[in-house]
Amino acid sequence: MNQLVNNNPTTDQGAIQAAFPGEYKNFAPIGRGSYAKVYRAETENGELVAIKVIDLKNMQKEIIPYMQNEMKLLSESDNKNVIKLFKSNQTNEKLILVLEYCQIDVEFMVKRYFKGKLSDDLVITILRQLANGLSYLHRNKIIHRDLKLENFAVQLTQEDQDALQNRNDLTVFDKATYKLIDLGLAKKLGDLQAQTSTWAGTELNMAPEILNEQKYSFQADMYSLGVCLYYMLVGKYPYFDPTNRTPLQDLIKKENVDLNHIANLQLRSLIQKMLKFDPKQRLTFQELYQHEFFKYREGDLANPIDLELNQNQGIYSQRLDESVLEQNPIKRQSEIFQQENESKSQIQQVMNTEQQQQFNDFINNPKIQEKNQEFQTPEVKNMFPTSKFDPQKKQNDQIMQLYHIRNQYIAILKLAEYLEQIIPLVKNSKLDFLTMAQKFNMYIEYLRMVSKQLYLKLQQRFIFFQQSLGPYDRFQLLQKQVKQEDQPKLEKVYVREGDSSGMISWFKKSVFKQIQCEPHDSANFNQQYQQNNIELYKELLKMLQDSFYKYTDDSDPKIKRIKCLIYLSMINTARSRVLFQVELQNTDYKAEELLLTKARDEPDILSEKVTAILAQYNLQYI
C-alpha cells in the first residue's frame, strides 16, 4: 500500500519521486502551511534534507511572485549562514524545493528552551553568524528586508540533536549553525549606490525609513538586526505600545528604548547604535565588523566562521558607506572615531569607579531578579488556586469590548470606501460587466448600514460603561475618537431593516435575492454578515483573476491601481470577517491601516498581506 502511495504522482511523495527518481527516502512530515507541506527526507548517502512541496493548483496567484523571487535568490546562494536550495522542480500542480535541513528556528528556540530570553554569549554567537550571512547577501547587492527570529533557522548535528532531546543539553546551541531563511521579500539592487522605496517586511521589525515610505538601502537590515538582538536579550520588542495609543513611528523616533535589561555594556551600546532613527547616524556594517565581537584572533581556528568574518570586512568599503549614508567620508570617519572614543571612555569610567559595584548590586538585587522572571515559567505552588476578583482586569476587558466593536465597523467602512473607488476605475475597462456597478453599490449600501448599527451598539455600550470606566483616559480617548472621526461618516446613514432586495432581486445567486439588514442584537445579524462577506470576497477574487488573464502588461498604472484596490478590499473583507468570528480582537488598527496605506501602490506587498490573514485565521472562501 505504501509503495502505491509513493508512486502515485498526485501525492506529495509520489510527486517527489517522479521529479527525483530514487534520490530520496524515509519521508516524514515536519510542517505545513496554507499551500505547502514540508517533509524531512534522507538522500542515498543518509544525509537529511527538507523538501517543501507547494500546491500550485490551489494557490492564489498573488503568492507566486514571492516564490519565484525566493527560488532565484536561494539557487544563487553559497554561504554557510544562508539556507541552501539544492534542487527544484515545477509541474502544473506542484512546486518542489529541496532545501538544507534545519531542526527549528530561533523564535521557537527562545520560547521553548530558554523561557523567553537568551544569554549574552549565545546572542553574540548568533550575531556573528547572522552578520556573516548578511555580508554575503550584501556582497551580492541583496537586502533581506524581513529579518526576524522566525527567519533565523537553527541547524544541529545529529549528535547535538540527540544530546538536546535525551539530556536537554542547551550547550548544543553554542555550537549550532544559524542560517538566514525566507528570502521572499529580499530585493537585489542594481549596484551599491542603488536604493529602493518598496514597503516590505514585518512592521515591528521594520526600519523607520521603510515605515515612513522613504528611500532606503542596506542600513534597513541593520535596524531590523538590532530589533532581533534586543528581543533575544530582553524577551520583547524595543518599541511597542499595547494600548494602541502611540503610533509605532512616534515611539521609534523618540529613541527612548529601555536598555537597562541588557547587562552586557558592549551589547547595550551596540544595540543603541543599531536602533538609531536616522540611518545616517545608525551603526554601519563596516563599523559592526570593527567591533570587538568580530575581531579575528590569529591562530585560533576553533570556529571556522572567524576566517569568513575576517574576509567579509572587505565588502563594506568606504564606497558602500558613502552610498548608504550620503556623507562626507572624512567627516564620517571623524564621527566614527569620536563615537568609539566616547563609548570606550564611558565603559572605562563605569568599570573603574564605584558605579560598577552599584551596577552589580542593582543587577543582583533580589527584587530586580524577581522582576526579571516575567518571561520565565512560574513555579506552580497551588494546583487549585482561589480565584480573586481583579477590578483592573475587568476594566481592561470592558475597554477591549468597546475597541472590538469599533474595529469591526472601521474595517467595514474602509471596505465600503475601497469598493466605491473601484467602480469608476473598472467601468469601461476589460474587467467591467453588466451588473458590476449595481452589485458593488448594493454592497456599499449594505456595509454602511451594518457599520451604522455597530456604531449605535457602541454608543449604547458607552452609556452602560460610563459609571465604571468614565474616569479612565482610554475610555475618554475612545469616546473622543468616535465622536470626531466616526460620527461624521455615519450620522447620515439610514438603516433599512428587513427586505431590501429591490433592483437586485433578479440576481442568480440566492444570497442576493433577499439581503436584509437585521438589528445588531438579532440572532441572524452575524450569520448574515458572514454569508455576504464570503460572496463579496468571491466577487473580488474573480475580478482579480480576470485582471491577470485580461491584462498581461502590469506596467499600466490604471490596472496596477485597480489591483491594489482589489487587494485592499480583500484584506478588509477578511479582516472584518475575523472580527465577527473572534471575540475581543483589540488589534493595533492604526498600525495596520498605516501599513496598508504605505503599500497602497504595491500589489505584491498587499497580496502577501491577504495571504497572511487567510493563513493566520485559517479563513476559507470556497
Side-chain angles (χ1 to χ4, degrees):
M1 184 65 181
N2 290 335
Q3 187 64 30
L4 291 175
V5 172
N6 291 339
N7 292 333
N8 184 351
T10 62
T11 66
D12 289 346
Q13 294 184 26
I16 296 171
Q17 296 290 17
F20 311 106
E23 294 188 37
Y24 304 103
K25 59 182 180 179
N26 297 335
F27 297 95
I30 57 174
R32 65 181 302 160
S34 300
Y35 304 99
K37 294 181 181 178
V38 183
Y39 299 87
R40 185 185 61 203
E42 292 183 21
T43 65
E44 294 177 330
N45 300 327
E47 297 178 352
L48 293 177
V49 294
I51 303 181
K52 190 175 185 178
V53 182
I54 300 150
D55 183 5
L56 296 178
K57 186 176 180 181
N58 296 319
M59 175 186 289
Q60 293 171 321
K61 293 181 180 179
E62 56 265 32
I63 308 175
I64 294 177
Y66 294 98
M67 316 211 72
Q68 292 172 336
N69 182 56
E70 184 171 18
M71 282 179 57
K72 183 178 185 302
L73 295 178
L74 286 178
S75 64
E76 300 170 353
S77 170
D78 185 23
N79 180 269
K80 177 180 179 180
N81 299 113
V82 179
I83 199 76
K84 286 185 177 64
L85 173 67
F86 297 129
K87 296 181 179 181
S88 63
N89 180 273
Q90 183 174 346
T91 65
N92 291 332
E93 295 187 351
K94 296 182 185 294
L95 175 63
I96 303 172
L97 307 179
V98 182
L99 301 154
E100 276 189 292
Y101 176 70
C102 296
Q103 287 81 0
I104 56 175
D105 60 52
V106 170
E107 183 184 41
F108 181 85
M109 179 188 84
V110 170
K111 293 179 179 179
R112 168 64 175 82
Y113 295 103
F114 292 93
K115 300 178 181 178
K117 297 187 280 190
L118 301 182
S119 67
D120 297 346
D121 290 340
L122 182 52
V123 169
I124 294 171
T125 297
I126 296 173
L127 168 63
R128 285 161 54 84
Q129 298 198 37
L130 295 181
N132 183 50
L134 279 174
S135 70
Y136 174 81
L137 294 181
H138 293 174
R139 182 190 305 137
N140 289 279
K141 305 165 191 173
I142 298 170
I143 309 177
H144 190 284
R145 301 199 300 183
D146 198 20
L147 297 178
K148 53 186 178 181
L149 299 195
E150 53 263 52
N151 285 343
F152 305 152
V154 184
Q155 189 177 66
L156 300 169
T157 64
Q158 185 60 51
E159 180 181 358
D160 286 341
Q161 188 176 2
D162 293 340
L164 179 64
Q165 292 178 346
N166 299 331
R167 303 192 302 274
N168 197 33
D169 183 2
L170 300 186
T171 63
V172 301
F173 292 112
D174 297 324
K175 300 176 286 182
T177 301
Y178 297 88
K179 296 179 180 286
L180 296 171
I181 63 174
D182 195 352
L183 302 187
L185 294 181
K187 185 168 185 176
K188 189 164 187 175
L189 300 181
D191 54 56
L192 296 180
Q193 283 74 36
Q195 293 181 314
T196 183
S197 58
T198 306
W199 177 280
T202 303
E203 188 174 15
L204 287 172
N205 297 72
M206 201 180 287
E209 54 266 33
I210 305 180
L211 282 171
N212 292 322
E213 206 175 3
Q214 300 170 345
K215 289 185 178 298
Y216 61 90
S217 191
F218 300 98
Q219 287 297 86
D221 277 348
M222 177 61 77
Y223 186 91
S224 298
L225 182 61
V227 173
C228 294
L229 294 180
Y230 186 92
Y231 196 103
M232 285 189 282
L233 288 164
V234 181
K236 60 183 180 181
Y237 288 103
Y239 301 110
F240 178 64
D241 178 13
T243 67
N244 307 330
R245 293 179 62 175
T246 307
L248 182 59
Q249 288 91 329
D250 292 348
L251 292 172
I252 293 174
K253 193 171 185 177
K254 292 177 182 178
E255 294 185 6
N256 60 350
V257 59
D258 184 3
L259 298 169
N260 292 324
H261 296 289
I262 303 174
N264 186 298
L265 297 181
Q266 288 182 307
L267 275 173
R268 184 190 298 188
S269 175
L270 197 67
I271 292 173
Q272 186 176 32
K273 294 175 183 178
M274 288 180 170
L275 296 180
K276 285 292 181 182
F277 178 84
D278 186 352
K280 295 178 183 179
Q281 298 179 7
R282 195 175 303 152
L283 187 78
T284 68
F285 278 94
Q286 185 178 11
E287 294 169 27
L288 178 65
Y289 266 93
Q290 293 171 354
H291 196 276
E292 180 71 25
F293 296 151
F294 294 88
K295 284 189 177 179
Y296 171 64
R297 303 173 186 84
E298 188 174 356
D300 182 8
L301 300 180
N303 189 348
I305 198 174
D306 280 329
L307 291 174
E308 294 184 43
L309 291 171
N310 189 50
Q311 295 167 358
N312 287 341
Q313 295 191 35
I315 73 164
Y316 296 109
S317 63
Q318 188 61 47
R319 185 184 179 194
L320 175 60
D321 282 330
E322 289 178 28
S323 69
V324 175
L325 301 176
E326 302 177 351
Q327 280 192 317
N328 182 288
I330 298 177
K331 180 181 178 182
R332 182 62 187 163
Q333 287 297 328
S334 175
E335 290 178 355
I336 293 172
F337 181 77
Q338 182 180 356
Q339 290 176 0
E340 288 180 346
N341 283 344
E342 289 176 356
S343 176
K344 290 179 181 178
S345 176
Q346 291 173 358
I347 294 174
Q348 191 67 30
Q349 181 182 5
V350 172
M351 295 297 293
N352 293 337
T353 65
E354 295 180 356
Q355 294 180 12
Q356 179 60 44
Q357 184 59 44
Q358 295 174 358
F359 178 79
N360 292 335
D361 293 341
F362 173 79
I363 293 297
N364 295 322
N365 189 307
K367 293 184 178 179
I368 299 298
Q369 291 183 345
E370 180 180 354
K371 185 176 181 180
N372 288 339
Q373 299 300 316
E374 60 177 307
F375 294 102
Q376 299 184 12
T377 304
E379 180 183 357
V380 179
K381 298 181 178 180
N382 184 0
M383 294 298 292
F384 303 99
T386 304
S387 60
K388 295 182 179 179
F389 175 72
D390 186 348
Q392 185 175 359
K393 181 180 183 303
K394 180 181 178 181
Q395 291 152 0
N396 287 336
D397 289 345
Q398 290 173 345
I399 291 177
M400 287 269 290
Q401 291 179 34
L402 302 178
Y403 272 103
H404 178 76
I405 298 171
R406 184 173 189 245
N407 284 338
Q408 281 181 311
Y409 69 70
I410 284 182
I412 296 171
L413 277 178
K414 186 59 66 174
L415 172 57
E417 290 176 13
Y418 289 135
L419 294 180
E420 200 167 36
Q421 295 177 48
I422 287 175
I423 295 175
L425 288 175
V426 172
K427 272 188 175 180
N428 301 321
S429 73
K430 296 179 183 179
L431 304 179
D432 198 5
F433 57 92
L434 181 61
T435 60
M436 184 277 298
Q438 291 176 331
K439 188 175 291 188
F440 275 40
N441 278 321
M442 178 273 298
Y443 274 121
I444 292 168
E445 180 187 11
Y446 170 72
L447 292 170
R448 285 177 175 161
M449 288 193 295
V450 171
S451 300
K452 179 62 174 285
Q453 295 203 106
L454 291 170
Y455 168 80
L456 295 174
K457 176 180 179 180
L458 182 59
Q459 294 296 333
Q460 294 176 5
R461 295 293 178 91
F462 278 154
I463 297 173
F464 184 75
F465 289 137
Q466 179 65 45
Q467 184 174 358
S468 58
L469 299 178
Y472 288 87
D473 290 343
R474 290 180 65 193
F475 180 75
Q476 296 173 6
L477 176 64
L478 181 59
Q479 282 186 311
K480 184 178 179 181
Q481 289 175 330
V482 170
K483 183 176 181 180
Q484 294 180 352
E485 300 174 19
D486 306 341
Q487 185 175 329
K489 299 178 183 179
L490 291 166
E491 61 183 358
K492 296 181 181 179
V493 175
Y494 173 68
V495 179
R496 296 188 294 157
E497 297 178 4
D499 186 0
S500 60
S501 56
M503 63 184 178
I504 52 99
S505 60
W506 48 273
F507 281 173
K508 291 182 180 179
K509 292 186 178 180
S510 60
V511 70
F512 296 129
K513 289 183 179 179
Q514 190 179 12
I515 289 192
Q516 299 177 342
C517 198
E518 298 281 349
H520 68 78
D521 55 354
S522 69
N524 295 329
F525 181 73
N526 283 15
Q527 182 180 359
Q528 179 199 107
Y529 184 79
Q530 297 278 0
Q531 188 178 14
N532 291 334
N533 180 286
I534 292 171
E535 292 300 328
L536 173 57
Y537 190 94
K538 290 179 179 179
E539 291 290 336
L540 293 168
L541 183 58
K542 184 180 183 302
M543 186 177 288
L544 179 66
Q545 292 170 340
D546 287 345
S547 71
F548 283 98
Y549 174 71
K550 296 179 179 179
Y551 288 88
T552 57
D553 184 8
D554 285 338
S555 62
D556 183 350
K558 180 178 179 180
I559 189 61
K560 184 178 181 181
R561 181 57 183 158
I562 290 175
K563 285 184 179 180
C564 287
L565 286 171
I566 293 174
Y567 282 130
L568 288 166
S569 300
M570 294 169 71
I571 288 169
N572 281 280
T573 305
R575 185 164 64 180
S576 62
R577 183 180 172 189
V578 169
L579 290 168
F580 269 83
Q581 289 182 340
V582 183
E583 288 297 325
L584 302 182
Q585 284 291 306
N586 187 19
T587 57
D588 188 352
Y589 178 81
K590 288 187 177 180
E592 281 283 300
E593 192 55 41
L594 177 64
L595 185 150
L596 299 182
T597 302
K598 296 294 184 183
R600 63 186 179 274
D601 297 322
E602 296 293 339
D604 291 344
I605 304 301
L606 293 173
S607 68
E608 192 270 343
K609 182 63 179 177
V610 174
T611 305
I613 291 177
L614 298 182
Q616 181 179 359
Y617 296 101
N618 194 27
L619 295 180
Q620 299 293 330
Y621 282 100
I622 54 176

